[in-house]
Amino acid sequence: MNSTPSAETKARIKAVLLAADQPTNGRLRTVRQSLWRWTRDDADLALKLFDGPNAHERLRTEVALYRELWQAGAPVPEVVAEAADARALARVWIPGRTVFQQLLAADSADASEVETVRRAWLRLLQALAPWNARITESRRRDALRKRQMELAAVAQGVAQAVPSIPSDAIDDLRQTLASDDLALLPLDASPSNIVVDGDRATFIDLEILGLDFADWTYAKYVTTATEAGTVLSLAADLSDEPGPDRLDAAVTLLALAHAAGLWSKPRNLPADMANHIPGRSRAAQQIRAGLRLESGVTSNCG
């Protein structure tokens, strides 16, 4: 091994490599905390170590999801091996760049990339559909209350952070988004968890499944904000999508939350935010107009 993991980490990596019928003298590189890339000859693996709360359960969940979804033809990595005692997983390494990296590297989304990611998302939903159908109505009702409360909290946070935005426009976004049915979805939705390589997009890090709104979850997968607060999204130009209103509302509300600093992102001045808020809906237009009003305010003091 040509990296310097701790003795405990070395032992856990060795255990999962042995489970994968691989020797330990390959090339090992750190990708990020708890994720390593190991290569030797034709073998190219991602080695993931699980720590913290519910580590064993998260490992079992991710392994089960990868295996079931892979068999169903979903765009997820293939599992090679697991080492339960070492809390470690070996899967096929997925080449390419994450959507997060792609968004930061480009001034605008490439049309083919948008289509690739969207197709992969729809395939994932299709693969999850049989599991979704088995969810009881009582569980759906409980989840719906929680998801509606979460959306209401986001809308309220935006309204409090930027009072120049018409509150009815924010509420319009929330109601549009919440008009959909819940679906069983990955809850680790982040643009860092989709890898794109040419015409293939792959969803990684599926530790948690739960019920949520599909367009809200998809918006989280394909939207981010730069250090300067500019919002970037692959979903900003999906005008040809059937029923685009909910996705439009999801991206607009998520962009507002990022720009307002609800999740520790740099908060923009309202006048700056107006130029970076996506959305084609009437509510989005109202919001941009409300933000621009702030720049024309002058003081009568003195």
Side-chain angles (χ1 to χ4, degrees), residues 69-239:
L69 292 173
W70 172 261
Q71 290 295 323
V76 301
E78 182 180 7
V79 169
V80 176
E82 64 175 305
D85 291 342
R87 305 187 310 281
L89 159 69
R91 61 166 174 79
V92 172
W93 175 262
I94 304 299
R97 295 199 301 178
T98 66
V99 167
F100 178 74
Q101 292 169 325
Q102 299 275 52
L103 286 170
L104 294 185
D107 293 330
S108 60
D110 179 81
S112 63
E113 182 184 359
V114 172
E115 181 60 28
T116 293
V117 173
R118 187 64 177 173
R119 271 200 317 269
W121 170 249
L122 295 176
R123 285 171 54 207
L124 181 62
L125 293 184
Q126 184 179 21
L128 286 168
W131 295 9
N132 183 51
R134 295 195 291 266
I135 303 296
T136 65
E137 283 305 312
S138 60
R139 183 181 170 190
R140 287 187 184 279
R141 286 194 298 270
D142 290 343
L144 180 60
R145 283 195 296 270
K146 292 177 182 178
R147 299 290 90 87
Q148 288 175 334
M149 289 173 61
E150 289 171 2
L151 285 180
V154 171
Q156 184 180 21
V158 170
Q160 290 176 345
V162 194
S164 62
I165 298 178
S167 59
D168 60 332
I170 301 175
D171 198 54
D172 188 358
L173 296 176
R174 180 191 63 79
Q175 290 187 45
T176 300
L177 181 52
S179 66
D180 197 9
D181 294 329
L182 294 181
L184 191 66
L185 304 164
L187 298 185
D188 292 330
S190 161
S192 295
N193 287 342
I194 309 178
V195 179
V196 180
D197 183 29
D199 61 355
R200 182 179 73 167
T202 306
F203 290 81
I204 61 173
D205 287 350
L206 304 179
E207 292 186 21
I208 307 172
L209 276 188
L211 291 165
D212 208 340
F213 299 108
D215 288 315
W216 182 237
T217 301
Y218 182 69
K220 292 178 182 177
Y221 266 123
V222 298
T223 305
T224 191
T226 67
E227 288 298 320
T230 302
V231 176
L232 306 170
S233 180
L234 291 186
D237 298 314
L238 288 173
S239 56

